[in-house]
């Protein structure tokens, strides 16, 4: 007996999704939900959803609450509790090892570099690479900010020099003094 083509495709899809699910705790549906939210650090991005859950899942007295984090992320990112538990482990790692690096911001380059120490375990637990967080640091080259911190020079600022004063300075030119 010959199987209809679509039945064979369904069986193959089930076999591949079962194989993918066996390699980690995140199912193909979980991965699709994470990918839908996407990478980055802006509102709605998967890493931001995880960070938001992390910020509500710890206290100085009780430490990091993995169960609370998992429930929060499962609900906000539409992933399974098993999958969310992988990210709860990542949150615990950050809490235990990266408090100082992450004090200013969860998406600072210092924080992301510190929490990268858990990345291999996170991927092994999830079964795939999750959408990555991006740094929210201001762009810079060798420590010099590329974004202006003061108004650009073209901004008109009211001063005390009159048009006559400016004309006199321009007429005198650079390097001249009256004394």
């Amino acid at each position: 007996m010959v199987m209809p083509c679509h039945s064979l495709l369904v069986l193959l899809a089930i076999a591949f999704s079962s194989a993918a699910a066996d390699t980690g705790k995140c199912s193909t549906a979980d991965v699709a939900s994470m990918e839908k939210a996407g990478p980055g650090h802006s509102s709605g991005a998967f890493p931001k959803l995880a960070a938001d859950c992390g910020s509500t899942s710890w206290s100085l007295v009780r430490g990091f609450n993995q169960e609370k984090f998992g429930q929060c992320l499962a609900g906000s990112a539409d992933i399974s509790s098993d999958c969310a538990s992988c990210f709860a482990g990542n949150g615990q790692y950050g809490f235990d090892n990266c408090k100082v690096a992450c004090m200013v911001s969860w998406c600072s380059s210092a924080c992301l570099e510190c929490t990268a120490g858990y990345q291999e375990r996170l991927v092994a637990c999830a079964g795939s690479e999750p959408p990555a967080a991006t740094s929210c640091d201001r762009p810079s080259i060798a420590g010099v900010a590329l974004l202006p911190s003061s108004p650009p020079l073209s901004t008109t600022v009211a001063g005390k020099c009159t048009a006559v004063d400016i004309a006199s300075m321009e007429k005198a030119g650079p390097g001249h003094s009256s004394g």
Side-chain angles (χ1 to χ4, degrees):
M1 181 167 154
V2 176
M3 290 182 97
C5 190
H6 79 283
S7 296
L8 184 58
L9 291 175
V10 169
L11 287 175
L12 286 173
I14 291 170
F16 282 117
S17 67
S18 296
D22 289 343
T23 61
K25 291 184 177 183
C26 297
S27 69
T28 53
D30 293 330
V31 171
S33 290
M34 290 186 285
E35 288 177 354
K36 181 178 178 186
H41 61 265
S42 61
S43 182
F46 181 76
K48 174 71 167 131
L49 296 174
D52 289 346
C53 289
S55 69
T56 63
S57 300
W58 68 275
S59 74
L60 290 176
V61 177
R62 293 194 176 103
F64 189 79
N65 185 331
Q66 288 193 37
E67 184 177 330
K68 183 176 182 179
F69 178 93
Q71 290 171 350
C72 175
L73 189 60
S76 66
D78 194 27
I79 60 174
S80 68
S81 296
D82 278 349
C83 181
S85 71
C86 297
F87 297 92
N90 190 45
Q92 183 71 58
Y93 177 89
F95 181 82
D96 292 342
N97 300 288
C98 305
K99 284 184 200 82
V100 173
C102 298
M103 193 174 292
V104 173
S105 174
W106 73 271
C107 58
S108 69
S109 57
C111 184
L112 297 178
E113 288 170 17
C114 183
T115 57
Y118 192 80
Q119 188 66 17
E120 191 174 309
R121 285 176 273 177
L122 175 61
V123 171
C125 181
S128 67
E129 189 79 33
T134 55
S135 173
C136 55
D137 294 342
R138 290 176 60 157
S140 65
I141 296 175
V144 178
L146 296 177
L147 300 175
S149 58
S150 59
L153 295 176
S154 63
T155 301
T156 304
V157 179
K160 294 186 179 183
C161 295
T162 66
V164 173
D165 295 331
I166 293 171
S168 295
M169 288 186 282
E170 288 176 349
K171 182 178 178 186
H176 295 285
S177 67
S178 60

